[in-house]
Amino acid sequence: MAGTRLAQQLAAPPVAVGTGSVEVTIIGEEPHAAYNRVLLAEVLAGRYGPEVIALPAPAAGVRRLSGVRVVRVDRPAAEVVCDDGHRVPYDALVLATGSNPVLPPLRGLFEPGGHDLPDGVHAFRTMDDCLALGAAVRPGARAVVIGGGLLGVSGARALAQRGAQVVLAHQGEHLMERQLDPGASGLLRRHVATLGVEVHTECRVRGLRTRSAYGEGGGGRAVSAVELADGYALEADLVVLACGVRPRVGLARAAGLEVARGVVIDDELRTSDPRVFAIGDCAEHAGVVYGLAGAAQEQADVLARLLSPAPPLPEPTGLRPLDPHGDSAPDPALGNRFVGNRSAEGAPPSGSWGRNEWAQTGHRAAPGNETAPRYHGTRTLTRLTLTAAPRSAPAATTAAPDGHSAPGPLDLAAFGNPTPAPGDDVIHLTDATRNTYRKVVVRGDRLLGGILLGDLGSVGALARTWESDEPLPASPLLHLLTTDGGS
């Protein structure tokens, strides 16, 4: 998503005459068009087709290399080397390689020396993962989802809507513990149960049991059960691994760039090489790897402004730090190239620039010019809607633990830090009859964070107040939880 957004802005016609243009190349490992991975669960649930979540294609002038993987960055030559043998030159390179799903160390997940998952075991990160899982699920199939974070809850709900018998096994104390407190998570758990998902928290999975995929004496393995730490086994036809993600940094590390958890970048989204930038899930800014679409898009927007045709980049061999007051210029013979390497989600690219006037994401503002774009981090907001299953689906008739019939959709929003410290003010409203939960934390005259479930009428105003970090109005704090957020 970030890469496509960046490419669209870089390839747009220049606003001012004589400002030059940028040649953009996107190199993507997946054969699919770029898509919104946030909506993959809706594709799995059957609500949308894959084409519905496709992102608008970049401008016609953008060169796309789909189904091609970059295997090496040759920094001295300013080229990326692809798995098909092509070498693509760049003047500026943007790494937006995304992240990989975490595969937990479960017994039976891999055979000794092997790298193939058993049949029926799926990660849930890319469009290919989604399509494979959708092809395997059927009404009545026994599915176990391992991991109760945002992705695991979304995937479990989607499988239940397809008619599967779903068990969600989560090692933590409550669902979505990164976003929700125990009270909100309890409401979420009750709602998920009404959708036909059996939830087990504080439940550690020890391993997988497999059988021959093709009968006695046949080759291959297929999952048959999930084994818990207490020895209990959950029979399974499908297993979904939703245990988090890890930034894809192998390409950057092999190229000698600074890597911590992610590819380390500064406020100009620049790596330790002044010609190489990083955005999205692979990037680490000020010690934070966001892994969220909103942060990736903000980074792409800042980078697009920084890479707009303007001051020159350092010379192609310049692997030294960029001198903000230097006057070095690239060799004009190289031409303007921006090479983009898009991740498996169809999101980020790496870029190359052109001959006439170089665009530079990492160029520092001239002395006295403090208006140049900078990335200072993202104040993230998580939103999720858990729609009820269609009336014809088994989950629609599932009774809630309190005996009530399945409710309608549940909306959820969480932002900032909802955990109060001593001295913080907490405003908390819960309505069990309406299945709503509202909580905000205030420190001094600033909104620190909040959680809203079931009724998001006030989320817009609250989010704007939090994102702007403005002082709160002098009205009573309870007004923060009215439908207009106190505004």
Side-chain angles (χ1 to χ4, degrees):
M1 291 183 288
T4 298
R5 189 181 184 101
L6 176 62
Q8 288 171 333
Q9 296 183 56
L10 291 177
V15 175
V17 177
T19 57
S21 60
V22 176
E23 297 174 10
V24 181
T25 300
I26 299 178
I27 304 174
E29 185 175 354
E30 278 198 274
H32 311 288
Y35 56 88
N36 185 350
R37 73 166 182 268
V38 175
L39 297 175
L40 281 176
E42 303 302 327
V43 175
L44 178 59
R47 184 180 180 187
Y48 299 143
E51 70 284 352
V52 173
I53 70 169
L55 298 174
V62 175
R63 178 189 180 200
R64 299 178 61 90
L65 302 178
S66 299
V68 176
R69 183 167 59 92
V70 174
V71 295
R72 185 165 63 90
V73 177
D74 188 340
R75 291 168 57 200
E79 294 179 331
V80 294
V81 182
C82 302
D83 60 355
D84 61 1
H86 282 87
R87 299 178 69 95
V88 182
Y90 66 82
D91 298 331
L93 177 66
V94 180
L95 298 176
T97 47
S99 55
N100 286 324
V102 172
L103 302 181
L106 303 179
R107 293 188 303 191
L109 186 61
F110 297 108
E111 291 185 304
H115 302 283
D116 295 328
L117 295 173
D119 289 352
V121 178
H122 301 265
F124 186 36
R125 181 65 180 168
T126 68
M127 179 64 78
D128 284 339
D129 294 335
C130 180
L131 296 178
L133 189 54
V137 68
R138 65 183 187 278
R142 299 165 299 181
V144 177
V145 178
I146 302 175
L150 179 63
L151 187 62
V153 170
S154 300
R157 185 270 304 175
L159 290 171
Q161 285 196 260
R162 296 286 298 272
Q165 302 175 24
V166 184
V167 175
L168 176 58
H170 182 53
Q171 185 169 332
E173 293 183 359
H174 59 268
L175 298 178
M176 291 184 60
E177 51 201 2
R178 290 184 58 185
Q179 294 87 15
L180 305 181
D181 63 6
S185 182
L187 189 151
L188 173 64
R189 177 172 180 164
R190 290 192 294 273
H191 180 84
V192 168
T194 67
L195 302 181
V197 178
E198 181 182 331
V199 179
H200 296 273
T201 53
E202 298 183 87
C203 175
R204 188 168 66 87
V205 175
R206 182 168 61 186
L208 302 180
R209 297 179 184 176
T210 61
R211 54 177 173 76
S212 173
Y214 306 105
E216 287 297 326
R221 299 182 304 145
V223 68
S224 60
V226 172
E227 187 175 314
L228 306 181
D230 61 6
Y232 187 79
L234 300 169
E235 294 185 346
D237 305 306
L238 296 172
V239 173
V240 179
L241 303 175
C243 305
V245 295
R246 184 176 290 118
R248 297 181 66 180
V249 298
L251 198 63
R253 180 177 284 118
L257 301 175
E258 182 182 356
V259 173
R261 288 179 56 224
V263 183
V264 177
I265 57 173
D266 61 14
D267 290 354
E268 297 169 325
L269 301 154
R270 191 172 44 168
T271 70
S272 53
D273 182 335
R275 289 186 179 281
V276 182
F277 308 89
I279 59 175
D281 291 3
C282 70
E284 177 177 336
H285 177 264
V288 178
V289 177
Y290 289 95
L292 296 170
Q297 291 178 346
E298 285 188 21
Q299 291 168 1
D301 290 346
V302 172
L303 188 53
R305 295 196 298 273
L306 287 167
L307 279 174
S308 60
L313 286 167
E315 65 271 23
T317 57
L319 302 184
R320 55 178 173 78
L322 178 63
D323 178 2
H325 307 299
D327 57 358
S328 60
D331 182 353
L334 291 176
N336 279 356
R337 300 178 300 273
F338 174 88
V339 178
N341 184 12
R342 181 171 58 78
S343 78
E345 288 90 349
S350 322
S352 85
W353 290 82
R355 173 181 311 125
N356 299 323
E357 295 190 65
W358 279 52
Q360 176 182 349
T361 48
H363 184 79
R364 295 188 180 278
N369 177 12
E370 304 300 333
T371 62
R374 294 293 182 269
Y375 178 71
H376 299 296
T378 298
R379 297 171 73 83
T380 57
L381 183 147
T382 299
R383 295 195 65 162
L384 174 66
T385 296
L386 296 176
T387 55
R391 290 296 177 188
S392 59
T397 59
T398 302
D402 59 4
H404 292 89
S405 59
L410 177 70
D411 292 316
L412 175 157
F415 57 92
N417 182 5
T419 303
D424 291 343
D425 292 309
V426 180
I427 306 95
H428 187 183
L429 297 177
T430 302
D431 187 340
T433 61
R434 299 176 60 188
N435 220 29
T436 62
Y437 183 98
R438 299 182 183 183
K439 172 185 174 182
V440 294
V441 179
V442 176
R443 180 171 298 168
D445 62 353
R446 294 297 196 275
L447 184 60
L448 186 64
I451 300 171
L452 303 176
L453 272 78
D455 182 358
L456 303 191
S458 58
V459 69
L462 285 171
R464 286 192 297 272
T465 302
W466 173 70
E467 288 172 351
S468 63
D469 197 27
E470 296 175 350
L472 294 170
S475 56
L477 294 180
L478 187 62
H479 289 182
L480 289 173
L481 296 183
T482 60
T483 56
D484 63 354
S487 60

mmCIF file of all heavy atoms in Angstrom, residues 123-158:
data_model
loop_
_atom_site.group_PDB
_atom_site.id
_atom_site.type_symbol
_atom_site.label_atom_id
_atom_site.label_comp_id
_atom_site.label_asym_id
_atom_site.label_seq_id
_atom_site.Cartn_x
_atom_site.Cartn_y
_atom_site.Cartn_z
ATOM 1 N N ALA A 123 -0.262 -19.736 6.876
ATOM 2 C CA ALA A 123 -0.069 -18.378 7.392
ATOM 3 C C ALA A 123 -1.205 -17.526 6.826
ATOM 4 O O ALA A 123 -1.948 -17.961 5.942
ATOM 5 C CB ALA A 123 1.289 -17.844 6.965
ATOM 6 N N PHE A 124 -1.341 -16.304 7.336
ATOM 7 C CA PHE A 124 -2.412 -15.435 6.857
ATOM 8 C C PHE A 124 -1.858 -14.015 6.772
ATOM 9 O O PHE A 124 -2.076 -13.196 7.643
ATOM 10 C CB PHE A 124 -3.608 -15.514 7.803
ATOM 11 C CG PHE A 124 -4.833 -14.766 7.326
ATOM 12 C CD1 PHE A 124 -5.159 -14.719 5.989
ATOM 13 C CD2 PHE A 124 -5.658 -14.105 8.227
ATOM 14 C CE1 PHE A 124 -6.280 -14.031 5.532
ATOM 15 C CE2 PHE A 124 -6.788 -13.425 7.802
ATOM 16 C CZ PHE A 124 -7.096 -13.382 6.449
ATOM 17 N N ARG A 125 -1.129 -13.775 5.672
ATOM 18 C CA ARG A 125 -0.478 -12.485 5.523
ATOM 19 C C ARG A 125 -0.655 -11.886 4.139
ATOM 20 O O ARG A 125 -0.792 -10.689 3.988
ATOM 21 C CB ARG A 125 1.017 -12.639 5.834
ATOM 22 C CG ARG A 125 1.831 -11.367 5.751
ATOM 23 C CD ARG A 125 1.402 -10.377 6.791
ATOM 24 N NE ARG A 125 2.160 -9.140 6.751
ATOM 25 C CZ ARG A 125 1.828 -8.047 7.404
ATOM 26 N NH1 ARG A 125 0.737 -8.044 8.145
ATOM 27 N NH2 ARG A 125 2.560 -6.959 7.327
ATOM 28 N N THR A 126 -0.646 -12.726 3.098
ATOM 29 C CA THR A 126 -0.668 -12.246 1.726
ATOM 30 C C THR A 126 -1.944 -12.701 1.011
ATOM 31 O O THR A 126 -2.716 -13.511 1.529
ATOM 32 C CB THR A 126 0.543 -12.771 0.948
ATOM 33 O OG1 THR A 126 0.406 -14.197 0.777
ATOM 34 C CG2 THR A 126 1.843 -12.483 1.685
ATOM 35 N N MET A 127 -2.121 -12.180 -0.193
ATOM 36 C CA MET A 127 -3.268 -12.601 -0.994
ATOM 37 C C MET A 127 -3.192 -14.089 -1.311
ATOM 38 O O MET A 127 -4.221 -14.794 -1.288
ATOM 39 C CB MET A 127 -3.322 -11.786 -2.286
ATOM 40 C CG MET A 127 -4.474 -12.166 -3.208
ATOM 41 S SD MET A 127 -6.102 -11.833 -2.474
ATOM 42 C CE MET A 127 -6.194 -10.054 -2.734
ATOM 43 N N ASP A 128 -2.015 -14.604 -1.596
ATOM 44 C CA ASP A 128 -1.878 -16.038 -1.856
ATOM 45 C C ASP A 128 -2.279 -16.852 -0.633
ATOM 46 O O ASP A 128 -2.941 -17.896 -0.751
ATOM 47 C CB ASP A 128 -0.432 -16.366 -2.252
ATOM 48 C CG ASP A 128 -0.121 -15.942 -3.681
ATOM 49 O OD1 ASP A 128 -1.064 -15.772 -4.478
ATOM 50 O OD2 ASP A 128 1.075 -15.777 -4.001
ATOM 51 N N ASP A 129 -1.867 -16.398 0.563
ATOM 52 C CA ASP A 129 -2.301 -17.077 1.798
ATOM 53 C C ASP A 129 -3.817 -17.095 1.895
ATOM 54 O O ASP A 129 -4.433 -18.115 2.215
ATOM 55 C CB ASP A 129 -1.734 -16.362 3.027
ATOM 56 C CG ASP A 129 -0.226 -16.433 3.131
ATOM 57 O OD1 ASP A 129 0.365 -17.367 2.571
ATOM 58 O OD2 ASP A 129 0.351 -15.539 3.779
ATOM 59 N N CYS A 130 -4.410 -15.940 1.620
ATOM 60 C CA CYS A 130 -5.867 -15.794 1.736
ATOM 61 C C CYS A 130 -6.597 -16.701 0.745
ATOM 62 O O CYS A 130 -7.560 -17.382 1.102
ATOM 63 C CB CYS A 130 -6.235 -14.336 1.505
ATOM 64 S SG CYS A 130 -7.988 -13.971 1.620
ATOM 65 N N LEU A 131 -6.131 -16.728 -0.501
ATOM 66 C CA LEU A 131 -6.796 -17.546 -1.520
ATOM 67 C C LEU A 131 -6.639 -19.028 -1.230
ATOM 68 O O LEU A 131 -7.576 -19.820 -1.428
ATOM 69 C CB LEU A 131 -6.231 -17.202 -2.896
ATOM 70 C CG LEU A 131 -6.485 -15.765 -3.386
ATOM 71 C CD1 LEU A 131 -5.828 -15.538 -4.747
ATOM 72 C CD2 LEU A 131 -7.984 -15.474 -3.455
ATOM 73 N N ALA A 132 -5.454 -19.429 -0.746
ATOM 74 C CA ALA A 132 -5.245 -20.841 -0.412
ATOM 75 C C ALA A 132 -6.137 -21.265 0.750
ATOM 76 O O ALA A 132 -6.737 -22.349 0.736
ATOM 77 C CB ALA A 132 -3.776 -21.084 -0.073
ATOM 78 N N LEU A 133 -6.247 -20.413 1.751
ATOM 79 C CA LEU A 133 -7.095 -20.729 2.901
ATOM 80 C C LEU A 133 -8.559 -20.752 2.491
ATOM 81 O O LEU A 133 -9.332 -21.630 2.917
ATOM 82 C CB LEU A 133 -6.853 -19.689 3.994
ATOM 83 C CG LEU A 133 -7.475 -19.925 5.367
ATOM 84 C CD1 LEU A 133 -7.095 -21.293 5.908
ATOM 85 C CD2 LEU A 133 -7.039 -18.829 6.324
ATOM 86 N N GLY A 134 -8.967 -19.807 1.645
ATOM 87 C CA GLY A 134 -10.348 -19.780 1.176
ATOM 88 C C GLY A 134 -10.718 -21.007 0.366
ATOM 89 O O GLY A 134 -11.850 -21.491 0.434
ATOM 90 N N ALA A 135 -9.747 -21.528 -0.405
ATOM 91 C CA ALA A 135 -10.009 -22.728 -1.199
ATOM 92 C C ALA A 135 -10.106 -23.975 -0.323
ATOM 93 O O ALA A 135 -10.779 -24.945 -0.689
ATOM 94 C CB ALA A 135 -8.908 -22.910 -2.240
ATOM 95 N N ALA A 136 -9.443 -23.940 0.846
ATOM 96 C CA ALA A 136 -9.416 -25.131 1.699
ATOM 97 C C ALA A 136 -10.594 -25.206 2.661
ATOM 98 O O ALA A 136 -11.011 -26.298 3.048
ATOM 99 C CB ALA A 136 -8.108 -25.153 2.494
ATOM 100 N N VAL A 137 -11.165 -24.060 3.054
ATOM 101 C CA VAL A 137 -12.228 -24.073 4.046
ATOM 102 C C VAL A 137 -13.533 -24.546 3.425
ATOM 103 O O VAL A 137 -13.802 -24.299 2.244
ATOM 104 C CB VAL A 137 -12.398 -22.668 4.673
ATOM 105 C CG1 VAL A 137 -12.937 -21.666 3.674
ATOM 106 C CG2 VAL A 137 -13.299 -22.736 5.909
ATOM 107 N N ARG A 138 -14.318 -25.232 4.230
ATOM 108 C CA ARG A 138 -15.634 -25.714 3.793
ATOM 109 C C ARG A 138 -16.544 -25.746 5.018
ATOM 110 O O ARG A 138 -16.065 -25.789 6.159
ATOM 111 C CB ARG A 138 -15.524 -27.113 3.177
ATOM 112 C CG ARG A 138 -15.098 -28.175 4.162
ATOM 113 C CD ARG A 138 -14.924 -29.542 3.507
ATOM 114 N NE ARG A 138 -14.682 -30.570 4.508
ATOM 115 C CZ ARG A 138 -13.499 -30.820 5.061
ATOM 116 N NH1 ARG A 138 -12.452 -30.093 4.706
ATOM 117 N NH2 ARG A 138 -13.361 -31.780 5.965
ATOM 118 N N PRO A 139 -17.853 -25.720 4.819
ATOM 119 C CA PRO A 139 -18.763 -25.787 5.970
ATOM 120 C C PRO A 139 -18.496 -27.026 6.806
ATOM 121 O O PRO A 139 -18.362 -28.140 6.289
ATOM 122 C CB PRO A 139 -20.145 -25.825 5.317
ATOM 123 C CG PRO A 139 -19.960 -25.137 4.000
ATOM 124 C CD PRO A 139 -18.582 -25.516 3.547
ATOM 125 N N GLY A 140 -18.395 -26.833 8.090
ATOM 126 C CA GLY A 140 -18.156 -27.947 9.007
ATOM 127 C C GLY A 140 -16.701 -28.285 9.219
ATOM 128 O O GLY A 140 -16.379 -29.113 10.088
ATOM 129 N N ALA A 141 -15.783 -27.667 8.476
ATOM 130 C CA ALA A 141 -14.363 -27.936 8.665
ATOM 131 C C ALA A 141 -13.934 -27.503 10.064
ATOM 132 O O ALA A 141 -14.393 -26.490 10.584
ATOM 133 C CB ALA A 141 -13.543 -27.202 7.609
ATOM 134 N N ARG A 142 -13.032 -28.275 10.670
ATOM 135 C CA ARG A 142 -12.532 -27.947 12.002
ATOM 136 C C ARG A 142 -11.280 -27.094 11.845
ATOM 137 O O ARG A 142 -10.260 -27.563 11.340
ATOM 138 C CB ARG A 142 -12.223 -29.228 12.773
ATOM 139 C CG ARG A 142 -13.443 -30.126 12.976
ATOM 140 C CD ARG A 142 -13.038 -31.520 13.397
ATOM 141 N NE ARG A 142 -12.195 -32.161 12.379
ATOM 142 C CZ ARG A 142 -11.716 -33.396 12.472
ATOM 143 N NH1 ARG A 142 -12.000 -34.125 13.546
ATOM 144 N NH2 ARG A 142 -10.962 -33.908 11.523
ATOM 145 N N ALA A 143 -11.375 -25.847 12.263
ATOM 146 C CA ALA A 143 -10.275 -24.898 12.090
ATOM 147 C C ALA A 143 -9.794 -24.420 13.447
ATOM 148 O O ALA A 143 -10.596 -24.093 14.323
ATOM 149 C CB ALA A 143 -10.719 -23.705 11.245
ATOM 150 N N VAL A 144 -8.473 -24.374 13.611
ATOM 151 C CA VAL A 144 -7.851 -23.833 14.818
ATOM 152 C C VAL A 144 -7.012 -22.635 14.405
ATOM 153 O O VAL A 144 -6.131 -22.751 13.549
ATOM 154 C CB VAL A 144 -6.977 -24.875 15.536
ATOM 155 C CG1 VAL A 144 -6.287 -24.247 16.750
ATOM 156 C CG2 VAL A 144 -7.816 -26.073 15.959
ATOM 157 N N VAL A 145 -7.296 -21.487 14.984
ATOM 158 C CA VAL A 145 -6.508 -20.273 14.754
ATOM 159 C C VAL A 145 -5.600 -20.082 15.958
ATOM 160 O O VAL A 145 -6.070 -20.010 17.098
ATOM 161 C CB VAL A 145 -7.417 -19.043 14.571
ATOM 162 C CG1 VAL A 145 -6.577 -17.781 14.390
ATOM 163 C CG2 VAL A 145 -8.339 -19.247 13.376
ATOM 164 N N ILE A 146 -4.298 -20.005 15.716
ATOM 165 C CA ILE A 146 -3.317 -19.834 16.789
ATOM 166 C C ILE A 146 -2.902 -18.371 16.821
ATOM 167 O O ILE A 146 -2.256 -17.870 15.900
ATOM 168 C CB ILE A 146 -2.089 -20.749 16.570
ATOM 169 C CG1 ILE A 146 -2.529 -22.212 16.489
ATOM 170 C CG2 ILE A 146 -1.083 -20.563 17.696
ATOM 171 C CD1 ILE A 146 -1.399 -23.177 16.160
ATOM 172 N N GLY A 147 -3.309 -17.677 17.875
ATOM 173 C CA GLY A 147 -2.995 -16.265 18.020
ATOM 174 C C GLY A 147 -4.255 -15.428 18.084
ATOM 175 O O GLY A 147 -5.099 -15.490 17.181
ATOM 176 N N GLY A 148 -4.396 -14.655 19.170
ATOM 177 C CA GLY A 148 -5.610 -13.874 19.383
ATOM 178 C C GLY A 148 -5.386 -12.384 19.285
ATOM 179 O O GLY A 148 -6.056 -11.615 19.985
ATOM 180 N N GLY A 149 -4.471 -11.963 18.416
ATOM 181 C CA GLY A 149 -4.310 -10.549 18.139
ATOM 182 C C GLY A 149 -5.316 -10.094 17.099
ATOM 183 O O GLY A 149 -6.290 -10.784 16.793
ATOM 184 N N LEU A 150 -5.070 -8.907 16.557
ATOM 185 C CA LEU A 150 -5.990 -8.340 15.575
ATOM 186 C C LEU A 150 -6.190 -9.274 14.391
ATOM 187 O O LEU A 150 -7.326 -9.526 13.960
ATOM 188 C CB LEU A 150 -5.441 -6.992 15.108
ATOM 189 C CG LEU A 150 -6.248 -6.239 14.051
ATOM 190 C CD1 LEU A 150 -7.619 -5.870 14.577
ATOM 191 C CD2 LEU A 150 -5.484 -4.990 13.614
ATOM 192 N N LEU A 151 -5.094 -9.824 13.848
ATOM 193 C CA LEU A 151 -5.201 -10.699 12.682
ATOM 194 C C LEU A 151 -5.898 -12.007 13.024
ATOM 195 O O LEU A 151 -6.731 -12.506 12.253
ATOM 196 C CB LEU A 151 -3.804 -10.970 12.120
ATOM 197 C CG LEU A 151 -3.741 -11.739 10.799
ATOM 198 C CD1 LEU A 151 -4.422 -10.951 9.690
ATOM 199 C CD2 LEU A 151 -2.296 -12.041 10.422
ATOM 200 N N GLY A 152 -5.581 -12.581 14.179
ATOM 201 C CA GLY A 152 -6.197 -13.843 14.562
ATOM 202 C C GLY A 152 -7.695 -13.721 14.777
ATOM 203 O O GLY A 152 -8.473 -14.580 14.344
ATOM 204 N N VAL A 153 -8.121 -12.633 15.435
ATOM 205 C CA VAL A 153 -9.558 -12.421 15.661
ATOM 206 C C VAL A 153 -10.275 -12.221 14.332
ATOM 207 O O VAL A 153 -11.353 -12.789 14.094
ATOM 208 C CB VAL A 153 -9.770 -11.211 16.594
ATOM 209 C CG1 VAL A 153 -11.238 -10.818 16.642
ATOM 210 C CG2 VAL A 153 -9.259 -11.530 17.995
ATOM 211 N N SER A 154 -9.675 -11.431 13.444
ATOM 212 C CA SER A 154 -10.295 -11.203 12.128
ATOM 213 C C SER A 154 -10.390 -12.491 11.327
ATOM 214 O O SER A 154 -11.417 -12.768 10.695
ATOM 215 C CB SER A 154 -9.481 -10.162 11.350
ATOM 216 O OG SER A 154 -9.420 -8.935 12.036
ATOM 217 N N GLY A 155 -9.309 -13.281 11.330
ATOM 218 C CA GLY A 155 -9.315 -14.539 10.590
ATOM 219 C C GLY A 155 -10.308 -15.544 11.149
ATOM 220 O O GLY A 155 -10.998 -16.244 10.401
ATOM 221 N N ALA A 156 -10.401 -15.628 12.479
ATOM 222 C CA ALA A 156 -11.344 -16.560 13.099
ATOM 223 C C ALA A 156 -12.775 -16.196 12.742
ATOM 224 O O ALA A 156 -13.600 -17.064 12.422
ATOM 225 C CB ALA A 156 -11.148 -16.560 14.617
ATOM 226 N N ARG A 157 -13.085 -14.904 12.788
ATOM 227 C CA ARG A 157 -14.421 -14.464 12.414
ATOM 228 C C ARG A 157 -14.727 -14.794 10.962
ATOM 229 O O ARG A 157 -15.831 -15.257 10.624
ATOM 230 C CB ARG A 157 -14.541 -12.965 12.669
ATOM 231 C CG ARG A 157 -15.910 -12.366 12.438
ATOM 232 C CD ARG A 157 -16.127 -11.869 11.024
ATOM 233 N NE ARG A 157 -15.112 -10.904 10.637
ATOM 234 C CZ ARG A 157 -15.023 -10.395 9.418
ATOM 235 N NH1 ARG A 157 -15.863 -10.775 8.469
ATOM 236 N NH2 ARG A 157 -14.064 -9.533 9.116
ATOM 237 N N ALA A 158 -13.748 -14.585 10.072
ATOM 238 C CA ALA A 158 -13.961 -14.864 8.655
ATOM 239 C C ALA A 158 -14.208 -16.353 8.408
ATOM 240 O O ALA A 158 -15.094 -16.736 7.631
ATOM 241 C CB ALA A 158 -12.758 -14.382 7.839
#
